[in-house]
Amino acid sequence: MITHHLLNKRVSWNTLEKIRLGKNVEYVRKMNFGVVRDVTSCGGLCLVIDDNEEKHEIETAELDPLD
């Protein structure tokens, strides 16, 4: 069995969050941090646990390793 290079590594990824300012809507880029806990057999998706212990399923290409 081959272990993926991101497994158990600390990573970051960006999300866009919608913010309402009166009648206007703006999008703000937010950087998130977490640790990869599982990777699919094809290597395309990762299960990431963020700093708040929440689970996220993210495409591997979207992750930037920090270690």
Side-chain angles (χ1 to χ4, degrees), residues 39-53:
V39 181
T40 58
S41 59
C42 67
L45 290 174
C46 293
L47 174 67
V48 180
I49 307 294
D50 69 11
D51 294 339
N52 297 324
E53 299 297 321

Side-chain angles (χ1 to χ4, degrees), residues 1-12:
M1 184 172 147
I2 298 172
T3 303
H4 196 275
H5 71 279
L6 285 177
L7 196 59
N8 295 318
K9 297 280 184 172
R10 185 149 174 82
V11 294
S12 68

Side-chain angles (χ1 to χ4, degrees), residues 6-63:
L6 285 177
L7 196 59
N8 295 318
K9 297 280 184 172
R10 185 149 174 82
V11 294
S12 68
W13 70 98
N14 292 316
T15 55
L16 290 176
E17 293 191 3
K18 188 189 317 187
I19 297 176
R20 288 196 168 271
L21 300 172
K23 293 182 179 182
N24 297 331
V25 175
E26 292 189 19
Y27 291 92
V28 176
R29 186 178 307 272
K30 180 181 175 189
M31 185 172 268
N32 301 286
F33 300 94
V35 177
V36 175
R37 292 298 179 201
D38 195 18
V39 181
T40 58
S41 59
C42 67
L45 290 174
C46 293
L47 174 67
V48 180
I49 307 294
D50 69 11
D51 294 339
N52 297 324
E53 299 297 321
E54 294 179 21
K55 297 177 182 178
H56 302 274
E57 193 172 273
I58 304 170
E59 291 182 14
T60 305
E62 298 293 323
L63 299 174

